[in-house]
Every structure is written in structure tokens, then in C-alpha cells.
Amino acid sequence: MTPTATVLLVFGRGVVAGDDGYRLTAESVARTEAAVAYVRAHAEEFRRAPGARVVFTGGWPHGPAGAPGFREGELMRALAREAGLDAYARSAAETRSRTTLQNLAHTVQDGLLGAAEFTARRPLGLVTHPWHLPRVRLLAARVLGLSGPARNSSPRCT
């Protein structure tokens, strides 16, 4: 049986301007919903794991530096919290990045993964779309020093 990932890293897919401000792309919404569904499906494991957390990543390449409320990670986190994520796990947002590599690097630099060490028994869940997953896995292996086989049972979008 594949162990449950109780630390999730959710990769954003952008924001778009609308009549009432900025909103997440459909892809970012799908990734957020996939993460929340995974946490709910594994609620007991998340409640028991001391370092359980969900980190939402994504800045905004065209946004003003430091502008709150418009960053992708913040918007995804807010959506997840509205869906009840706080009942199961802590959450955080990385909001400085402009690329997938920066998503990972800033998440590590900001200490958003806590003291978690990832192994085959304690996997890191990477939440993204299937077409993005090979790139995320490659970069996560390099930035986080992960090794071993990748498993497709971590949360992802279809």
C-alpha cells in the first residue's frame, strides 16, 4: 500500500484579470480542488501527522511586487480555506515565484515545508496536471534532493 503524503505542494497555473479583479485560472482552481479532495480523503492521516501541511505556490509575473491579495498562492490558499481545508491541515502560500523552479526554491528558502524529510515512507505530494508532472518531479528531485521512484498515487489533476 502506498503511504499517504501528508505534505502537499500545490503548483499554480496563473491568474487572469476579470471585471471584479483577479481570479485563478481554471487550472489553478482544479489543482486546488484536487488538493482539498486528497486531504479530505485522508483526513485522519492529516490530523495525526504533526507536520501535515499544504503549501500553495505561485506569484504573479506581471503583478506589483508585494501587492497582497493578487498572488496566485494566496488566491489558491483562500479557495482551499473556504472549502474547509483548515479542519484537516495547516496551509501556507509561497507568493514570490514566477516559474516552477522558483516555486520550489522559494518554498524551501521560506521554510514552508517545515522540517519534513521525504522518503518512500513519507512522500511529498506534488499537485499539478499530468503534463506538468514530469517537469515538477525533475525540479523537485534537484531542489529537494529527492530520489527513488515516482508514484502516481499522489494528488494530481486530470
Side-chain angles (χ1 to χ4, degrees):
M1 182 174 178
T2 303
T4 299
T6 57
V7 176
L8 304 181
L9 191 51
V10 185
F11 292 83
R13 181 68 173 127
V15 295
V16 292
D19 294 337
D20 57 347
Y22 291 91
R23 61 181 169 75
L24 295 168
T25 62
E27 294 90 347
S28 290
V29 170
R31 293 173 186 188
T32 303
E33 290 173 347
V36 171
Y38 182 86
V39 171
R40 281 188 181 148
H42 302 281
E44 286 309 311
E45 291 100 317
F46 272 85
R47 285 188 182 121
R48 284 194 310 259
R53 66 186 65 215
V54 180
V55 179
F56 298 93
T57 67
W60 182 28
H62 308 290
F70 300 105
R71 303 287 180 181
E72 190 173 15
E74 292 170 340
L75 294 172
M76 291 190 312
R77 183 180 186 210
L79 179 62
R81 293 179 91 181
E82 288 172 20
L85 180 69
D86 289 346
Y88 310 103
R90 290 181 302 173
S91 63
E94 178 285 309
T95 61
R96 298 184 294 138
S97 61
R98 296 172 186 244
T99 67
T100 302
L101 178 58
Q102 288 178 355
N103 290 147
L104 289 155
H106 292 294
T107 295
V108 171
Q109 289 170 357
D110 295 347
L112 299 178
L113 295 176
E117 291 185 27
F118 304 107
T119 66
R121 291 182 144 175
R122 297 188 60 199
L124 170 64
L126 302 172
V127 184
T128 190
H129 281 81
W131 54 264
H132 190 226
L133 197 53
R135 175 177 172 74
V136 170
R137 285 180 177 155
L138 174 71
L139 294 173
R142 290 183 179 168
V143 172
L144 300 171
L146 302 178
S147 62
R151 300 178 190 221
N152 288 328
S153 60
S154 294
R156 62 186 174 105
C157 303
T158 56

